[in-house]
Amino acid sequence: MTFEMSRRGFLASAAAAAAGLALSPRGAFAADELVAATFGGTWANVQKQILAPYFVKRTGASVVQSPMLATEQIAKLTAAKGNQPPFDVAMLDEGPALEAIHAGLIAKYDPAKSPNFAALNPKFQGAFGPAITMQAIGIAYNPKTVKTPPTSWEDLWKPEYKGRVGITSLASTLGLAFLLDINRLAGGTEANMEPGFRKLKTLLPNLAAVSANFGAHGALFQQGEIDIGVQNFNFAEELKAKGVPIEFVRVDTGTPAWKTTMHIVAGALKPELAYAYVDSQISPEVQSEMQKSPWNVIPTSSKVPYTGLVAEKIAKIPADLDKMVFFDWAKVNQNRAAWTQQFNRDIRA
């Protein structure tokens, strides 16, 4: 069975789940084929070009990688609960990962089945799966149109950027982390987002677009539809490496960041291959390659020192990551659905 046929089979199952129908059995997949969720943008590219070939060489199996937001993964796994899951490996940010654990959607991670797990820095050794990177956000801008490099979130509110600012929706952790941080700076907490929403409403005159996901957000910069906006470090650097006029800066009030993790889905059809896939992602070989430009993925293995743009712009040693701004995702999850509705009504509409 070819890659494209397998992918069509997976997408058909996913569509059925989204429609609330019973998922089709995955018996049609080849016996040595793994199905793994990934994120869009840089992640889809880097895992296709580095992780997939490494995994194939290691196992002799094939892998279908399907890009989707963490919230979409949760929805698909929830719809399939009690049936064969639509994919074997999940890739999640901290908030959705906690939700998946609470809902029983992912399995406990067995370090004995993952030789590279022991080499992770201890703070990245999760009971339900390893942290495969840290994501850090800041401001991306077009240096051709933005002559004075921004230094803080407040720069997004400058009148000269009327109709030229881009952010993402709360379906993306990028958009949620931005809202959480401006809320923090406005005196709010994870239990009270009203200061952040009041602040965000005043940005409306400057907003050109609210992207649904990373891919759409990156396209806005590529097409010249926005000049400045919120962006992930490595996504911005990948665009720059492609020749897009874009620069990334960290804000002076502290860099919001979170862990991105990988998990074995509960009831995974191919659990052994799933472990091999996750363990390949945290191998020093894969993490070393992913840290190189144009990817600039922050490694979590203690065997991979920080180099290149990661060392230049984000962290020289692991302790530097501890200085970033983190949020209580357990508290965030309690209100995320309501905040998303409020955002869609008041900001995105």
Side-chain angles (χ1 to χ4, degrees):
M1 178 175 290
T2 65
F3 176 89
E4 290 301 327
M5 288 177 67
S6 299
R7 182 176 174 83
R8 285 197 295 270
F10 168 68
L11 292 176
S13 295
L21 302 176
L23 287 170
S24 301
R26 280 179 45 199
F29 287 116
D32 59 350
E33 183 174 72
L34 180 76
V35 183
T38 183
F39 294 157
T42 295
W43 276 110
N45 296 332
V46 72
Q47 289 188 329
K48 179 180 179 180
Q49 295 188 35
I50 296 176
L51 176 57
Y54 184 94
F55 167 79
V56 170
K57 184 177 180 180
R58 173 175 172 174
T59 65
S62 61
V63 58
V64 176
Q65 296 168 320
S66 183
M68 64 185 88
L69 291 169
T71 50
E72 293 176 293
Q73 294 178 49
I74 296 295
K76 292 181 189 298
L77 290 175
T78 300
K81 199 169 184 181
N83 298 293
Q84 288 182 351
F87 45 91
D88 304 288
V89 176
M91 181 172 169
L92 304 170
D93 292 325
E94 288 189 58
L98 289 174
E99 184 180 349
I101 292 169
H102 180 74
L105 301 176
I106 55 178
K108 274 205 166 185
Y109 196 80
D110 186 355
K113 298 179 180 179
S114 184
N116 290 304
F117 189 83
L120 295 176
N121 287 309
K123 62 186 174 184
F124 299 133
Q125 295 177 338
F128 284 83
I132 62 171
T133 193
M134 289 288 297
Q135 304 239 36
I137 70 170
I139 296 175
Y141 67 98
N142 184 336
K144 293 183 177 181
T145 56
V146 178
K147 300 304 182 183
T148 302
T151 60
S152 75
W153 296 132
E154 287 296 327
D155 288 323
L156 300 179
W157 274 259
K158 287 185 175 180
E160 58 261 40
Y161 302 135
K162 183 177 181 179
R164 302 306 299 165
V165 175
I167 63 175
T168 66
S169 74
L170 299 199
S172 165
T173 304
L174 171 62
L176 182 56
F178 169 62
L179 178 57
L180 285 165
D181 204 43
I182 63 171
N183 181 66
R184 172 182 71 90
L185 296 171
T189 67
E190 288 92 339
N192 175 23
M193 193 69 87
E194 285 311 307
F197 273 110
R198 286 196 297 269
K199 179 69 174 177
L200 193 56
K201 282 184 180 180
T202 65
L203 185 62
L204 285 173
N206 283 15
L207 280 184
V210 177
S211 305
N213 52 54
F214 284 128
H217 194 52
L220 294 177
F221 282 100
Q222 288 178 290
Q223 297 163 4
E225 295 184 31
I226 61 175
D227 293 325
I228 189 169
V230 186
Q231 186 58 288
N232 278 52
F233 156 69
N234 53 330
F235 278 43
E237 296 298 342
E238 184 192 5
L239 289 175
K240 182 178 179 180
K242 291 178 177 179
V244 177
I246 191 171
E247 295 289 344
F248 173 87
V249 293
R250 294 167 64 174
V251 293
D252 56 13
T253 49
T255 301
W258 63 89
K259 298 173 186 174
T260 293
T261 49
M262 287 182 81
H263 309 273
I264 312 299
V265 170
L269 192 61
K270 305 292 173 59
E272 292 185 6
L273 287 180
Y275 269 102
Y277 183 82
V278 176
D279 192 64
S280 295
Q281 173 65 64
I282 60 175
S283 69
E285 297 87 353
V286 167
Q287 292 214 340
S288 293
E289 286 300 309
M290 287 189 174
Q291 185 179 204
K292 296 176 182 177
S293 290
W295 316 115
N296 303 293
V297 175
I298 302 170
T300 54
S301 174
S302 62
K303 294 184 177 181
V304 183
Y306 300 146
T307 60
L309 289 177
V310 170
E312 178 185 333
K313 294 191 174 185
I314 301 298
K316 290 181 171 55
I317 58 175
D320 289 340
L321 298 179
D322 297 333
K323 302 172 185 176
M324 294 182 174
V325 177
F326 302 100
F327 303 105
D328 187 335
W329 291 100
K331 291 183 179 178
V332 170
N333 281 354
Q334 295 175 14
N335 297 295
R336 182 169 184 167
W339 292 338
T340 299
Q341 290 180 351
Q342 184 174 352
F343 180 90
N344 291 342
R345 181 187 68 241
D346 297 343
I347 307 299
R348 198 174 185 182

